[in-house]
């Protein structure tokens, strides 16, 4: 907190939070416009999905794109990372690759992680 306060010019906490929220909105919007050309929906997960101001600002900024929480699809926003790791664990236990070379740039599919049974 001390590091942050030294770099702020006396702005109010409200101004700092508003600026950070808009930085988040703009960063997401630019990424969607660059990498999701023509996207009709943005599914938001994590704590930001519970922030009505952030979700409203995203919807306003991405007017041609529906903005929804992952909750609308039955997955609590806070569970997305844990669900991803559970999926990876399931793939490992089943002896199945957990990567997509076309996405990751890996040379081939790989079983991720290892299982060490207790002896």
């Amino acid at each position: 907190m001390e590091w942050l306060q030294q770099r702020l010019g006396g702005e109010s906490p409200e101004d700092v939070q508003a600026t950070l929220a808009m930085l988040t909105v703009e960063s997401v919007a630019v990424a969607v416009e660059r990498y999701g050309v023509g996207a009709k929906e943005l599914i938001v997960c994590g704590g930001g999905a519970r922030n009505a101001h952030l979700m409203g600002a995203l919807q306003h900024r991405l007017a041609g794109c529906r903005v929804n929480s992952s909750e609308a699809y039955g997955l609590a926003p806070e569970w997305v990372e844990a669900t991803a790791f559970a999926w990876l664990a399931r793939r490992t236990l089943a002896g199945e690759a957990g990567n997509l070379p076309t996405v990751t740039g890996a040379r081939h599919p790989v079983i991720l992680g290892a299982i060490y049974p207790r002896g």
Side-chain angles (χ1 to χ4, degrees):
M1 192 63 172
E2 182 181 324
W3 178 90
L4 181 60
Q5 288 174 336
Q6 288 174 357
R7 282 147 183 85
L8 295 175
E11 293 86 355
S12 72
E14 295 81 6
D15 285 344
V16 173
Q17 287 182 5
T19 299
L20 293 174
M22 293 317 296
L23 173 63
T24 300
V25 167
E26 193 60 25
S27 297
V28 170
V30 166
V32 168
E33 291 166 352
R34 180 176 296 156
Y35 302 110
V37 176
K40 302 284 185 229
E41 182 175 22
L42 174 67
I43 301 171
V44 180
C45 60
R50 303 265 188 227
N51 183 323
H53 171 75
L54 184 68
M55 293 294 282
L58 279 168
Q59 185 60 77
H60 179 74
R61 175 62 175 78
L62 294 168
C65 184
R66 270 188 330 272
V67 176
N68 281 314
S69 165
S70 61
E71 189 88 54
Y73 295 93
L75 184 58
E78 298 83 1
W79 296 357
V80 172
E81 185 176 18
T83 302
F85 277 97
W87 181 85
L88 288 170
R90 185 225 159 271
R91 300 284 295 183
T92 298
L93 288 169
E96 300 170 343
N99 69 323
L100 291 172
T102 56
V103 174
T104 64
R107 288 187 291 255
H108 53 83
V110 176
I111 296 171
L112 303 173
I115 306 301
Y116 299 98
R118 294 167 65 183

